[in-house]
Amino acid sequence: MKRKMYWGVALLILLLGTAAVFVIQHEVAENSELNDQLEGAAELANQIEQGKTAENNPSPDPMVSTEEEIPLQESSDLDDLNAGKTDSSSEKVVLSEAEIDAMNKANREQQLAKYIAKWGEPPSPDGSYQHTFDNHGNVLRHYEGTILISHYRFEVGFAPTISELERYKQLIAERKEVIREGDIGEMHRIDDKIQTLVNSAQREVPVPFGYGYYGPQYTEGERTNLRNQALKSFYKRMGVPHLFELHKR
């Protein structure tokens, strides 16, 4: 009886051991399969990540240039010169002497046209004068070595006609004569006549106030003569040349 019990216990132990070994082997196999699956998943994830990186940062193609070629633009000044010429950049535009002369002539004509458009006439052929504007926008010729009155205004003042000026000059001469003779009473009567004439000859008159000079330096003794010449030219230009006699020095 006891022997059977021993054999039963031993058989039970053997069965339990065999079962334990089977269970352990099964778990080991499952763990190994699980590890393989995890490694495969990690590798797949790595491949996916590398694929995304490659898409975002593609490797440069050695046959494709990374610089954009920008065509050169020719100056508009050369449009006429390049008309009818080849477009090849390897060829240079060569002008003949006749073409250069023609270009220079065209430039001179263009500059001359601009000058005439501004001043109303060509420049001085001998360089003896320059063009300028007065303060009323009129074009003037300023001759070298002369004073030019370029600024003036209009005021109401003594502006006699030619006949009134002659009468005025006559009264002035008479006044000088009676002063020489010492006739004070007659002098006062002449003064009244002069004043009446002046009052009756009040008109708009040009009054100069701007003088200009260009040329060689003049002496102080030449200043009066140059100034009188400027006044004479000014009143002539204003259409009242006889008024110069009232203002000359």
Side-chain angles (χ1 to χ4, degrees):
M1 184 66 179
K2 291 184 179 179
R3 182 176 294 179
K4 289 181 179 180
M5 289 179 63
Y6 291 150
W7 279 107
V9 172
L11 181 59
L12 179 59
I13 293 172
L14 179 62
L15 290 174
L16 290 174
T18 302
V21 171
F22 178 78
V23 171
I24 291 172
Q25 289 179 347
H26 181 69
E27 290 181 354
V28 170
E30 286 182 348
N31 291 336
S32 177
E33 183 178 359
L34 180 60
N35 289 334
D36 292 339
Q37 292 176 354
L38 292 175
E39 290 178 359
E43 183 177 357
L44 179 60
N46 187 37
Q47 292 177 357
I48 293 174
E49 184 66 25
Q50 290 178 355
K52 291 181 179 180
T53 302
E55 290 178 356
N56 294 332
N57 300 284
S59 59
D61 187 346
M63 298 301 293
V64 179
S65 174
T66 59
E67 296 181 359
E68 180 183 0
E69 183 178 354
I70 301 176
L72 296 178
Q73 296 181 354
E74 294 181 350
S75 171
S76 59
D77 295 338
L78 300 178
D79 287 345
D80 294 336
L81 295 179
N82 292 331
K85 303 293 184 179
T86 177
D87 291 334
S88 174
S89 60
S90 62
E91 295 187 12
K92 296 181 178 179
V93 178
V94 179
L95 299 178
S96 65
E97 184 175 350
E99 289 175 320
I100 295 175
D101 291 341
M103 286 181 57
N104 291 335
K105 181 180 178 181
N107 288 334
R108 288 194 300 269
E109 291 176 350
Q110 183 180 17
Q111 294 300 320
L112 178 60
K114 288 182 179 179
Y115 191 97
I116 294 175
K118 179 177 181 180
W119 300 108
E121 63 179 6
S124 171
D126 57 0
S128 61
Y129 61 83
Q130 296 177 351
H131 286 106
T132 186
F133 289 109
D134 67 15
N135 61 322
H136 296 269
N138 301 307
V139 177
L140 304 176
R141 288 182 179 182
H142 191 175
Y143 286 87
E144 184 177 7
T146 65
I147 291 177
L148 176 70
I149 298 175
S150 59
H151 289 65
Y152 60 94
R153 61 181 176 268
F154 290 97
E155 295 179 356
V156 175
F158 182 45
T161 62
I162 295 178
S163 59
E164 289 171 337
L165 179 60
E166 291 299 323
R167 176 59 179 161
Y168 177 81
K169 291 164 57 179
Q170 181 183 355
L171 290 173
I172 294 297
E174 292 177 1
R175 185 178 188 274
K176 289 181 179 179
E177 179 65 21
V178 297
I179 290 176
R180 186 180 64 81
E181 294 176 353
D183 191 344
I184 304 300
E186 185 63 21
M187 182 193 72
H188 288 314
R189 286 191 293 272
I190 293 176
D191 285 343
D192 292 338
K193 292 179 181 180
I194 292 174
Q195 188 61 49
T196 300
L197 176 60
V198 169
N199 292 339
S200 65
Q202 292 294 306
R203 301 181 182 94
E204 188 177 72
V205 60
V207 179
F209 65 90
Y211 297 76
Y213 173 84
Y214 95 94
Q217 184 64 37
Y218 57 83
T219 64
E220 189 62 29
E222 296 172 322
R223 179 181 177 83
T224 300
N225 184 42
L226 289 171
R227 190 178 181 87
N228 282 335
Q229 290 179 1
L231 286 170
K232 187 175 183 178
S233 297
F234 171 72
Y235 286 113
K236 182 179 181 180
R237 191 169 82 237
M238 293 292 100
V240 285
H242 61 283
L243 294 185
F244 167 67
E245 293 190 53
L246 294 174
H247 303 282
K248 65 181 179 180
R249 296 181 179 181

